[in-house]
Amino acid sequence: QVQLQESGPGLVKPSQTLSLTCSVSDASITTNNYYWIWVRQAPGKSLQWLGAIAYSGSTYYRPTLKSRISISRDTSKNQFSLQLTSVTPEDSAVYYCAAKEGSHVPTYGLALEEYDYWGQGTQVTVSS
């Protein structure tokens, strides 16, 4: 069973950079046709797709975040990471990493349970 685990600071100050890492076990992040995804859910709001990195290393970002977001990977550690710069309190949410197999990158409209695998989520609060 593939397992994903998010890690990173739970509190980030406004204007700073949010950095999270997803550690993957029992599957390689270079496995063909797998996409490795970051999503978040703020209180009272629906799940929001942030971006993804493909098995090939190609990256895909939510257009409204494109100037602030970066997703990278470390294949030697079988991890992928999220960086979100210039955060504001509106970036406070539970952040999840997820994975889904497919012929193209999954983007908007999926519920967490529609991904093949997902982590338990980590709360990130942006506050001074």
Side-chain angles (χ1 to χ4, degrees):
Q1 178 75 2
V2 179
Q3 294 187 335
L4 289 81
Q5 177 68 57
E6 305 91 350
S7 61
L11 181 64
V12 183
K13 289 185 164 65
S15 81
Q16 293 190 342
T17 297
L18 180 161
S19 296
L20 296 174
T21 295
C22 184
S23 299
V24 180
S25 56
D26 295 326
S28 170
I29 61 173
T30 60
T31 300
N32 278 351
N33 297 330
Y34 263 89
Y35 295 87
W36 306 91
I37 300 130
W38 287 99
V39 296
R40 69 183 180 185
Q41 188 162 27
K45 296 190 176 181
S46 58
L47 196 69
Q48 185 180 60
W49 182 88
L50 303 179
I53 186 163
Y55 57 96
S56 62
S58 296
T59 52
Y60 309 85
Y61 299 129
R62 188 178 188 88
T64 54
L65 295 176
K66 204 164 187 179
S67 63
R68 299 199 290 132
I69 190 172
S70 177
I71 297 175
S72 59
R73 67 180 185 176
D74 185 336
T75 56
S76 68
K77 295 181 179 178
N78 211 38
Q79 296 175 334
F80 64 105
S81 298
L82 168 72
Q83 286 202 319
L84 190 63
T85 63
S86 304
V87 296
T88 71
E90 286 66 43
D91 293 308
S92 298
V94 178
Y95 285 74
Y96 299 90
C97 57
K100 190 163 180 67
E101 184 181 15
S103 58
H104 58 275
V105 59
T107 55
Y108 311 110
L110 293 181
L112 194 60
E113 296 74 22
E114 293 180 274
Y115 291 100
D116 295 333
Y117 308 102
W118 60 92
Q120 64 182 19
T122 186
Q123 172 71 49
V124 178
T125 300
V126 179
S127 175
S128 55

